[in-house]
Amino acid sequence: QLQLVESGGGLVQPGGSLRLSCKASGPNFDYYTILWSRRAPGKEREGVSCTADGRVNYVESVRGRFTISRDNAENTVYLQMDSLKPDDTAVYYCAAVRGLILTCPLSSWVYNYWGQGTQVTVSS
């Protein structure tokens, strides 16, 4: 069983930066594919970025602004978010599935472990 805890959300002005963290507890963390997903008010959940065995994937709307990374020794995945826009406002979730899916899917239905989420608000 894997447990995920997100942190690092907050209020930031447009153009600003935040770094989200997803801390996992459980064995063999390096054998999991990890997804960052978000749900904006009134919208469906959207996959933002994924990492698996060194491979990464991004939704087009964040490509070039967000960077995903992972530290397997610390059981943690990060999402560095730069040049934030009001449209990035959402609750951000970390999710995981056991196994290294090298296509790094952004579809939420693939993942069966989820954190509670952290709120990101981009506003002046």
Side-chain angles (χ1 to χ4, degrees), residues 21-85:
S21 299
C22 171
K23 177 76 171 180
S25 60
N28 304 315
F29 174 72
D30 55 345
Y31 197 58
Y32 284 80
T33 298
I34 306 296
L35 174 76
W36 280 103
S37 178
R38 66 186 179 186
R39 176 170 281 166
K43 296 185 178 180
E44 293 187 356
R45 194 189 299 260
E46 174 187 45
V48 173
S49 183
C50 167
T51 176
D53 196 29
R55 289 165 172 82
V56 298
N57 193 13
Y58 299 95
V59 69
E60 187 59 35
S61 61
V62 308
R63 196 180 303 272
R65 299 189 298 121
F66 291 10
T67 303
I68 192 170
S69 60
R70 71 193 289 168
D71 184 340
N72 288 332
E74 295 294 328
N75 277 18
T76 302
V77 174
Y78 303 98
L79 187 67
Q80 177 68 40
M81 306 187 297
D82 299 318
S83 302
L84 282 161
K85 304 175 181 180

Side-chain angles (χ1 to χ4, degrees), residues 78-120:
Y78 303 98
L79 187 67
Q80 177 68 40
M81 306 187 297
D82 299 318
S83 302
L84 282 161
K85 304 175 181 180
D87 283 350
D88 296 317
T89 295
V91 178
Y92 283 72
Y93 299 90
C94 177
V97 61
R98 183 171 174 81
L100 296 174
I101 307 175
L102 300 183
T103 55
C104 221
L106 298 179
S107 300
S108 297
W109 64 266
V110 174
Y111 300 85
N112 55 351
Y113 298 101
W114 289 83
Q116 294 300 306
T118 185
Q119 176 71 47
V120 171

